[in-house]
Amino acid sequence: MDSQQLQTILKEDYGLDGDIKHLVGYENANYRLTSDEGLFVVKVFLNNPQELAFVGVLSELESWEHADLIPQVRVTLNGQQIIKRADHLIVVLTWLSGRFYKDFDISPSFAGNFGRILGRLDKAMAKVNKIDLALLNRPWDLANYQEAAALSVNISSPLRRLLVDYFFAQVDAISADQLSGLRRGLIHHDANDWNVLTDGEQVLGLIDFGDTAYTWQVAEIAVAGAYAAMSSSDPLNLVKELVHGYNSEFPLQEEEVEVLYYLIALRCCVSVCYSSSATSLGQDDYVAVCQESMFELLAKWIQINPRHAHNAFRDACAMRPITTPDQGEMREAREGGISSSLSLSYAEPIAMSGGGLQFMYAYDGQTYLDLVNNICHVGHCSPKVIQALSRQAAKLNTNTRYLYPSLNRLSKEILKSLPDNIERIFFVNSGSAASDLALRMARQFTGRETVAALQSGYHGNTSSAIAVSSYKYNGQGGGGRPKQTIEIPLPSEGTKDFFFPSHNPPAAIIAETVVGCGGQVVLPEGWLNRLFDQVHEMGGLCISDEIQTGFGRIGENMWSFQQQDLDSDIVILGKPMGNGHPIAAVACTAEVAANFENGMEFFSSFGGNPVSCEVGLAVLETMDEYDLQQNALETGRYFKGRLEQLADKFPVIYDVRGSGLFLGIELREPSTGHPATELAKILIEEMKSRQVLMSTDGPDNNVIKIKPPMCINRDDVKAVVHHLSVCIPMVQRKLQIEG
Ligand code: PMP
């Protein structure tokens, strides 16, 4: 319908004469009519009665005490609210003035006022009874989020897509009972920053009832909250004020307050899914307008501890805080049953309640950026992993004595990623079980007992693994090097290559390519190859331990031994393989496997079970789908570069090493060259107080290890580098004062 036609209709049917101007809008066409009688909004719809259900709602709200804040339906000369002309439906509404709140830095007091108006509106909406609720079924309805979730594939940035999928999975994880039990009501459902008019302090108008839906009552505040949060550097506080205002007029229920944190994220997710799919189709999209801010809010929102948000919202509704287990009691109870040989991190240990991708949430409401956990490789509570785990756990869990496809699929995927000579795989439950099996295979293959391993290496907690872990047998409580172990000193400048004695040829050498527990020691090019060559020449086997370094962590390669082109006969995998679920593996050549097949059954009760296999596959899919190895490469490179800049500034940083997201910062006293062990220890405590988790390692505990979930981004890196640049001089000063 062209403007001319529309003007004629407005004149003939409504008696309104004036100029019309097209306005931006989503789905239907909107015009502003400037007439002798004042300003009006003219809405033109394609012939779809569903879109016009709001007209009935508006006319029922005419008697609301604040009806001046919402559009009134202007009827035709013969009293009709909606007319049909040339296959279009037309509605004329009064024009409300004011500025969109998107143009303001909104204040907490505005948020409170806004919440109160929404609460009052919803009280009035609850009395609307003459409309067909079935017509108010909307794609944007938060309760229909599954439709939007399927569109997340259109989000082009892999890390953003992961963030969105994470929140969708979190909503999926809310019990179906809890979601279906949420109170329903008629709500405006789109109180966004383009639909609210204000002078900066008071609400002057609330427009666009086109998304009015009969859905979760709390979705009203979730939608409004998402936009309020988006416009603030302190999003939680603004939402809290909004909730406070709303609750004072329309009391929220405990169950609603409990899910609000997730529903606010959900609204952002639904919105970015629709806008990204519109963008991917090249549509001229009004919805994409706030896409960027929505992504930014999601990145901020995941940094808010959900328990903390829950309590803030409860506080806003004058509800008591949720109970938190007492830290002292938890510790005491632990000491009652758990051996003290299991350590706790930090002087004051953290009681952890949750995790979200690269973040961890403590019971006390703190959020930590996790730079320690290389086990939750693809992120804490990674969406595909939790989905795969729970789906398969609901179907079948058994063992490798039956046929099931996931075992074959996982074997195939892992073997595909390894060099061609590695053709067989055995699944176990821990890195320790994997190194034990690898050592057993090598001993059986060669009929020898002696095993060579690197100084400062660690390969697991079994007797056989401890015996080849100088990190343990030479460390506190260790009994020294066992007779059957050859310990190879780590190379340092000027040292000669190690040569094996010919009288005691080893069954195997076991080594990491970057010695993790040794303090992220990167071995010089060719050094390990020469050792592997010697072992091969003596008829022994070479075992690469990829338990810490594998699965793309080093960025350039899937496996770190590939970085040095090592000829391995056995590769052991673990930690990241199940993202925290206990699955590990031994992969080896066909020859080694054949030798092991001597008639004795190999059986692991849990190794390779269907749940573990689905989890393992989900980890690989997540890496692939969200390009996490590439992220490890790029973000890792950026991280290392920023740390090298810090090293230029602070001489106490003796070395920055590693690759991808497997980095180490070695700290030494600049004057003496001694390991700065105390500084490292205090530094990680200081970083903890700034919500960054780091750990130290190496024989002198003077190397800060960095091996975070593979989804950290540049903003996380910037924050870490900033905190380090503040903490390093602070700790140095503190140590100087203490003498
Ligand atoms: N090898 C290496 C290199 C490791 O870092 C570890 C665990 N720290 C292991 C083996 C043992 O793995 P798990 O703790 O799963 O038994």
Side-chain angles (χ1 to χ4, degrees):
M1 178 175 296
D2 65 29
S3 309
Q4 199 64 53
Q5 260 177 307
L6 188 59
Q7 264 174 318
T8 311
I9 293 165
L10 288 169
K11 196 166 170 187
E12 286 175 2
D13 289 283
Y14 292 84
L16 292 172
D17 198 1
D19 291 335
I20 59 170
K21 180 173 175 269
H22 186 251
L23 304 170
V24 282
Y26 178 55
E27 287 175 351
N28 62 296
N30 291 326
Y31 300 87
R32 184 178 65 193
L33 167 69
T34 312
S35 75
D36 303 344
E37 280 187 48
L39 294 171
F40 293 90
V41 181
V42 181
K43 289 177 162 284
V44 180
F45 297 84
L46 283 175
N47 194 354
N48 177 3
Q50 196 165 344
E51 286 183 313
L52 282 139
F54 77 91
V55 176
V57 176
L58 282 181
S59 61
E60 282 202 53
L61 287 174
E62 263 169 23
S63 54
W64 177 40
E65 57 183 323
H66 297 295
D68 58 324
L69 296 183
I70 58 173
Q72 306 294 311
V73 184
R74 160 72 198 236
V75 292
T76 59
L77 293 171
N78 54 20
Q80 283 177 286
Q81 293 180 325
I82 304 170
I83 54 168
K84 187 172 172 189
R85 295 287 178 274
D87 271 347
H88 288 79
L89 294 168
I90 297 169
V91 178
V92 177
L93 302 174
T94 53
W95 178 272
L96 296 176
S97 28
R99 287 170 62 196
F100 293 124
Y101 99 66
K102 72 174 181 60
D103 296 333
F104 292 87
D105 269 342
I106 66 169
S107 65
S109 76
F110 168 78
N113 291 336
F114 178 29
R116 269 186 293 281
I117 292 296
L118 276 182
R120 284 183 206 162
L121 173 70
D122 286 356
K123 234 183 339 191
M125 297 268 263
K127 296 190 192 116
V128 168
N129 56 22
K130 291 198 207 99
I131 65 158
D132 180 0
L133 296 177
L135 286 178
L136 296 173
N137 179 14
R138 308 279 177 201
W140 281 78
D141 184 343
L142 283 194
N144 288 343
Y145 72 93
Q146 305 283 8
E147 282 178 36
L151 299 174
S152 75
V153 288
N154 294 303
I155 299 170
S156 57
S157 149
L159 289 187
R160 284 180 162 181
R161 190 162 5 107
L162 178 59
L163 182 59
V164 166
D165 288 344
Y166 162 78
F167 275 118
F168 278 129
Q170 288 297 305
V171 176
D172 286 340
I174 299 173
S175 80
D177 276 357
Q178 198 175 348
L179 285 183
S180 63
L182 289 175
R183 169 173 57 162
R184 289 188 171 247
L186 189 64
I187 60 170
H188 177 280
H189 201 231
D190 197 18
N192 73 43
D193 52 356
W194 284 80
N195 284 343
V196 180
L197 300 162
T198 177
D199 56 6
E201 198 50 39
Q202 298 298 330
V203 175
L204 302 179
L206 188 58
I207 60 171
D208 193 357
F209 279 66
D211 283 289
T212 299
Y214 183 76
T215 183
W216 298 327
Q217 185 73 47
V218 65
E220 186 78 297
I221 208 73
V223 175
Y227 290 89
M230 218 166 67
S231 63
S232 170
S233 56
D234 185 5
L236 187 60
N237 191 40
L238 270 196
V239 180
K240 193 178 162 183
E241 291 303 322
L242 187 81
V243 170
H244 179 75
Y246 186 84
N247 184 70
S248 68
E249 297 291 340
F250 196 111
L252 287 163
Q253 298 175 342
E254 299 222 349
E255 297 75 13
E256 294 172 333
V257 174
E258 191 178 346
V259 295
L260 184 54
Y261 167 85
Y262 291 105
L263 297 193
I264 287 174
L266 185 63
R267 167 58 190 224
C268 297
C269 293
V270 167
S271 177
V272 296
C273 283
Y274 284 127
S275 60
S276 302
S277 80
T279 313
S280 74
L281 295 172
Q283 288 171 359
D284 164 34
D285 49 332
Y286 163 71
V287 266
V289 170
C290 60
Q291 167 168 308
E292 195 57 28
S293 325
M294 285 276 179
F295 280 124
E296 282 166 18
L297 174 61
L298 285 171
K300 274 194 224 161
W301 205 244
I302 194 175
Q303 297 185 49
I304 297 173
N305 184 320
R307 280 179 76 86
H308 178 58
H310 185 187
N311 273 333
F313 301 150
R314 286 183 65 90
D315 186 40
C317 299
M319 296 170 187
R320 279 201 313 275
I322 43 171
T323 49
T324 294
D326 181 85
Q327 173 120 354
E329 279 173 18
M330 246 194 292
R331 215 170 154 175
E332 217 170 279
R334 172 170 164 133
E335 280 158 13
I338 305 291
S339 159
S340 65
S341 59
L342 277 78
S343 74
L344 279 165
S345 297
Y346 301 111
E348 188 57 46
I350 307 171
M352 266 324 165
S353 70
L357 299 181
Q358 66 270 46
F359 299 101
M360 294 185 81
Y361 306 121
Y363 273 106
D364 66 6
Q366 290 286 14
T367 298
Y368 294 96
L369 173 65
D370 182 8
L371 296 189
V372 177
N373 201 327
N374 63 338
I375 301 170
C376 285
H377 193 63
V378 293
H380 291 276
C381 305
S382 203
K384 283 183 186 295
V385 176
I386 56 176
Q387 280 155 359
L389 185 132
S390 49
R391 268 190 217 133
Q392 186 59 38
K395 258 194 232 155
L396 170 73
N397 203 11
T398 181
N399 59 54
T400 48
R401 287 187 179 134
Y402 296 98
L403 291 170
Y404 43 91
S406 56
L407 180 74
N408 308 341
R409 276 174 39 226
L410 182 60
S411 317
K412 194 171 147 204
E413 287 303 317
I414 292 185
L415 290 173
K416 205 167 75 185
S417 72
L418 285 159
D420 290 346
N421 68 319
I422 305 290
E423 294 179 273
R424 292 281 181 272
I425 188 161
F426 298 73
F427 292 106
V428 287
N429 317 115
S430 68
S432 302
S435 57
D436 183 79
L437 177 60
L439 293 170
R440 196 178 130 204
M441 286 172 146
R443 288 187 166 125
Q444 186 165 318
F445 189 87
T446 56
R448 302 172 189 163
E449 271 306 304
T450 301
V451 170
L454 305 188
Q455 177 194 3
S456 297
Y458 176 70
H459 303 287
N461 60 27
T462 58
S463 303
S464 67
I466 292 289
V468 293
S469 299
S470 107
Y471 180 72
K472 289 289 182 190
Y473 65 66
N474 281 336
Q476 241 184 3
R481 178 179 60 81
K483 277 204 303 291
Q484 76 279 21
T485 301
I486 299 173
E487 183 180 314
I488 303 168
L490 289 179
S492 55
E493 245 169 272
T495 57
K496 299 216 173 70
D497 269 1
F498 179 89
F499 290 102
F500 287 95
S502 55
H503 66 275
N504 184 17
I509 178 170
I510 181 166
E512 291 179 282
T513 314
V514 182
V515 189
C517 294
Q520 313 293 77
V521 180
V522 180
L523 300 169
E525 199 78 39
W527 183 82
L528 207 47
N529 305 61
R530 292 194 289 279
L531 288 174
F532 273 34
D533 287 348
Q534 285 186 59
V535 172
H536 276 149
E537 275 159 26
M538 297 170 101
L541 299 179
C542 298
I543 306 170
S544 280
D545 183 337
E546 290 285 345
I547 290 165
Q548 278 196 38
T549 49
F551 288 90
R553 174 159 296 280
I554 57 152
E556 283 163 17
N557 300 86
M558 177 75 163
W559 309 107
S560 71
F561 74 93
Q562 293 171 320
Q563 203 176 27
Q564 298 225 355
D565 213 4
L566 284 164
D567 180 11
S568 314
D569 308 289
I570 304 180
V571 184
I572 55 177
L573 322 173
K575 288 180 188 284
M577 192 171 170
N579 214 49
H581 179 85
I583 179 166
V586 177
C588 63
T589 62
E591 195 189 357
V592 170
N595 177 272
F596 192 64
E597 292 157 10
N598 67 353
M600 183 193 285
E601 184 198 17
F602 175 78
F603 179 66
S604 162
S605 299
F606 308 128
N609 71 65
V611 174
S612 298
C613 289
E614 291 294 348
V615 167
L617 284 163
V619 169
L620 294 173
E621 268 170 40
T622 304
M623 285 184 52
D624 193 36
E625 165 105 21
Y626 305 100
D627 239 350
L628 293 181
Q629 185 176 329
Q630 186 63 21
N631 184 53
L633 181 72
E634 287 168 14
T635 306
R637 208 173 265 163
Y638 175 72
F639 206 157
K640 194 173 179 189
R642 294 295 309 266
L643 292 174
E644 282 163 350
Q645 285 170 356
L646 270 191
D648 291 340
K649 199 160 149 201
F650 300 109
V652 72
I653 300 182
Y654 173 79
D655 191 19
V656 172
R657 55 185 177 242
S659 62
L661 289 171
F662 199 64
L663 303 171
I665 311 170
E666 182 168 352
L667 302 168
R668 285 183 179 271
E669 298 300 341
S671 51
T672 61
H674 292 156
T677 307
E678 190 60 16
L679 183 130
K681 184 174 155 196
I682 304 176
L683 186 58
I684 63 164
E685 290 284 349
E686 282 299 333
M687 290 298 281
K688 174 201 168 202
S689 73
R690 289 160 173 266
Q691 283 93 54
V692 180
L693 302 179
M694 303 181 107
S695 64
T696 59
D697 221 330
D700 298 306
N701 271 308
N702 65 327
V703 181
I704 294 187
K705 274 179 94 157
I706 296 175
K707 47 185 176 62
M710 301 269 280
C711 50
I712 66 158
N713 58 44
R714 278 180 182 229
D715 287 338
D716 300 323
V717 172
K718 283 178 197 160
V720 172
V721 171
H722 166 73
H723 291 312
L724 282 172
S725 72
V726 175
C727 291
I728 291 173
M730 198 167 82
V731 176
Q732 279 181 311
R733 215 173 144 254
K734 197 163 155 184
L735 284 172
Q736 262 162 18
I737 293 167
E738 286 168 5

